[in-house]
Amino acid sequence: MIVDGNRLSDRAIELVLAYYTAFNRGDREAMLDLLADDVAHDVNQGGRETGKAAFTAFLGRMDRCYREQLRDIVVMANESGDRVAAEYVVHGEYLADDTGLPPAHGQKYVLPGGAFFDVRDGLIARVTNYYNLEDWIAQVSK
Protein backbone atom coordinates (compact mmCIF):
# COMPACT_ATOMS: atom_id res chain seq x y z
CA MET A 1 0.00 0.00 0.00
CA ILE A 2 1.26 3.46 -0.86
CA VAL A 3 0.68 6.16 1.73
CA ASP A 4 0.50 9.48 -0.09
CA GLY A 5 -1.30 11.61 2.47
CA ASN A 6 -4.30 12.31 0.28
CA ARG A 7 -6.79 9.97 1.92
CA LEU A 8 -8.06 10.42 5.47
CA SER A 9 -6.69 6.98 6.34
CA ASP A 10 -3.25 8.01 5.02
CA ARG A 11 -3.21 11.12 7.18
CA ALA A 12 -4.19 9.08 10.24
CA ILE A 13 -1.44 6.54 9.55
CA GLU A 14 1.10 9.34 9.09
CA LEU A 15 -0.04 10.92 12.39
CA VAL A 16 0.50 7.71 14.34
CA LEU A 17 3.83 7.04 12.61
CA ALA A 18 4.94 10.55 13.55
CA TYR A 19 3.92 9.81 17.17
CA TYR A 20 6.05 6.66 17.22
CA THR A 21 8.95 8.37 15.46
CA ALA A 22 8.91 11.04 18.18
CA PHE A 23 8.71 8.30 20.85
CA ASN A 24 11.77 6.52 19.44
CA ARG A 25 13.69 9.83 19.31
CA GLY A 26 12.78 10.54 22.92
CA ASP A 27 11.09 13.76 21.77
CA ARG A 28 8.29 14.03 24.30
CA GLU A 29 7.31 17.56 23.22
CA ALA A 30 6.75 16.36 19.65
CA MET A 31 4.62 13.51 20.98
CA LEU A 32 2.53 15.91 23.07
CA ASP A 33 2.06 18.22 20.08
CA LEU A 34 0.27 15.36 18.29
CA LEU A 35 -2.28 14.92 21.10
CA ALA A 36 -5.62 16.63 21.63
CA ASP A 37 -5.75 18.66 24.85
CA ASP A 38 -8.35 16.26 26.27
CA VAL A 39 -6.55 13.10 25.13
CA ALA A 40 -7.78 9.90 26.78
CA HIS A 41 -5.00 7.49 27.69
CA ASP A 42 -5.94 3.92 28.59
CA VAL A 43 -2.93 2.51 30.42
CA ASN A 44 -2.27 -1.19 29.85
CA GLN A 45 -4.23 -3.15 32.47
CA GLY A 46 -4.94 0.10 34.28
CA GLY A 47 -7.39 2.95 34.26
CA ARG A 48 -8.07 5.84 31.94
CA GLU A 49 -6.19 9.11 32.37
CA THR A 50 -7.42 12.25 30.65
CA GLY A 51 -5.59 15.33 29.41
CA LYS A 52 -2.10 16.31 28.35
CA ALA A 53 -0.98 16.95 31.95
CA ALA A 54 -1.75 13.35 32.92
CA PHE A 55 -0.05 12.09 29.76
CA THR A 56 3.01 14.24 30.51
CA ALA A 57 3.21 12.72 34.01
CA PHE A 58 2.91 9.23 32.51
CA LEU A 59 5.78 9.97 30.10
CA GLY A 60 7.90 11.22 33.00
CA ARG A 61 7.36 7.97 34.89
CA MET A 62 8.13 5.96 31.76
CA ASP A 63 11.35 7.90 31.15
CA ARG A 64 12.44 7.39 34.76
CA CYS A 65 11.73 3.64 34.82
CA TYR A 66 12.26 2.44 31.24
CA ARG A 67 14.36 2.93 28.13
CA GLU A 68 12.41 1.66 25.13
CA GLN A 69 12.50 1.57 21.36
CA LEU A 70 9.64 0.34 19.21
CA ARG A 71 10.50 -1.72 16.15
CA ASP A 72 8.61 -3.52 13.40
CA ILE A 73 5.80 -0.97 13.65
CA VAL A 74 2.72 -1.66 11.53
CA VAL A 75 -0.10 0.90 11.44
CA MET A 76 -3.59 0.47 9.97
CA ALA A 77 -6.51 2.89 9.76
CA ASN A 78 -10.14 2.78 8.79
CA GLU A 79 -11.25 4.61 5.66
CA SER A 80 -12.49 7.68 7.54
CA GLY A 81 -9.18 7.99 9.41
CA ASP A 82 -10.72 8.32 12.85
CA ARG A 83 -9.72 4.86 14.13
CA VAL A 84 -6.15 3.56 13.96
CA ALA A 85 -4.43 0.41 15.19
CA ALA A 86 -0.72 -0.26 15.58
CA GLU A 87 1.35 -3.33 16.34
CA TYR A 88 5.03 -3.26 17.27
CA VAL A 89 7.80 -4.96 19.21
CA VAL A 90 9.15 -3.18 22.29
CA HIS A 91 12.87 -3.51 22.93
CA GLY A 92 13.47 -2.17 26.40
CA GLU A 93 15.47 -1.91 29.55
CA TYR A 94 13.96 -1.68 33.04
CA LEU A 95 15.92 1.13 34.73
CA ALA A 96 14.18 1.98 38.01
CA ASP A 97 11.51 0.35 40.16
CA ASP A 98 7.97 1.08 39.02
CA THR A 99 5.10 0.95 41.52
CA GLY A 100 3.75 -2.55 42.09
CA LEU A 101 6.27 -4.20 39.76
CA PRO A 102 9.41 -6.27 40.39
CA PRO A 103 12.66 -4.52 41.35
CA ALA A 104 14.64 -2.99 38.49
CA HIS A 105 18.30 -3.65 37.83
CA GLY A 106 18.74 -2.98 34.13
CA GLN A 107 16.87 -6.05 32.88
CA LYS A 108 16.34 -6.13 29.11
CA TYR A 109 13.10 -7.29 27.53
CA VAL A 110 11.53 -7.80 24.11
CA LEU A 111 7.77 -7.71 24.06
CA PRO A 112 5.09 -7.49 21.37
CA GLY A 113 2.58 -4.73 21.93
CA GLY A 114 -0.21 -2.87 20.29
CA ALA A 115 -2.25 0.29 20.55
CA PHE A 116 -5.54 1.70 19.38
CA PHE A 117 -6.12 5.36 18.63
CA ASP A 118 -9.01 7.73 18.03
CA VAL A 119 -8.16 10.64 15.75
CA ARG A 120 -10.09 13.91 15.87
CA ASP A 121 -9.33 17.12 13.99
CA GLY A 122 -5.91 15.83 12.93
CA LEU A 123 -4.82 15.01 16.50
CA ILE A 124 -4.70 11.86 18.60
CA ALA A 125 -7.73 11.95 20.91
CA ARG A 126 -7.30 8.49 22.51
CA VAL A 127 -4.39 6.10 23.03
CA THR A 128 -5.11 2.60 24.36
CA ASN A 129 -2.01 0.47 24.90
CA TYR A 130 -1.85 -3.32 25.22
CA TYR A 131 0.94 -5.75 26.00
CA ASN A 132 1.22 -8.98 27.95
CA LEU A 133 2.15 -7.84 31.46
CA GLU A 134 2.72 -11.42 32.66
CA ASP A 135 5.25 -11.96 29.84
CA TRP A 136 7.02 -8.71 30.78
CA ILE A 137 7.13 -9.68 34.48
CA ALA A 138 8.55 -13.10 33.58
CA GLN A 139 11.28 -11.47 31.48
CA VAL A 140 12.35 -8.96 34.13
CA SER A 141 12.11 -11.47 37.00
CA LYS A 142 14.89 -13.69 35.63
Side-chain angles (χ1 to χ4, degrees):
M1 172 173 84
I2 297 173
V3 177
D4 64 12
N6 291 321
R7 297 176 296 187
L8 294 173
S9 59
D10 292 343
R11 288 194 289 270
I13 289 168
E14 290 169 345
L15 174 67
V16 171
L17 287 173
Y19 173 85
Y20 286 131
T21 298
F23 176 89
N24 280 341
R25 277 194 325 260
D27 188 345
R28 300 310 181 228
E29 288 304 315
M31 288 177 70
L32 292 166
D33 287 345
L34 299 173
L35 304 178
D37 288 338
D38 63 345
V39 64
H41 177 216
D42 299 318
V43 180
N44 186 69
Q45 297 185 2
R48 174 169 278 192
E49 300 174 345
T50 304
K52 279 190 180 182
F55 201 87
T56 300
F58 170 80
L59 290 176
R61 190 183 95 236
M62 291 297 293
D63 288 343
R64 181 180 61 78
C65 297
Y66 309 92
R67 180 180 305 123
E68 295 182 332
Q69 287 285 293
L70 304 183
R71 299 181 189 156
D72 303 319
I73 300 168
V74 177
V75 179
M76 301 155 275
N78 66 347
E79 191 173 327
S80 62
D82 61 352
R83 306 272 306 274
V84 181
E87 184 177 26
Y88 46 79
V89 178
V90 180
H91 292 256
E93 186 176 357
Y94 189 29
L95 304 172
D97 294 2
D98 199 352
T99 306
L101 297 173
H105 49 84
Q107 306 95 307
K108 294 189 186 291
Y109 52 91
V110 176
L111 189 69
F116 298 98
F117 299 84
D118 286 343
V119 175
R120 183 181 69 237
D121 300 326
L123 296 170
I124 295 169
R126 175 182 62 94
V127 181
T128 301
N129 291 299
Y130 290 103
Y131 61 88
N132 185 328
L133 182 59
E134 291 180 11
D135 182 12
W136 181 85
I137 289 172
Q139 289 185 52
V140 301
S141 295
K142 294 179 183 176

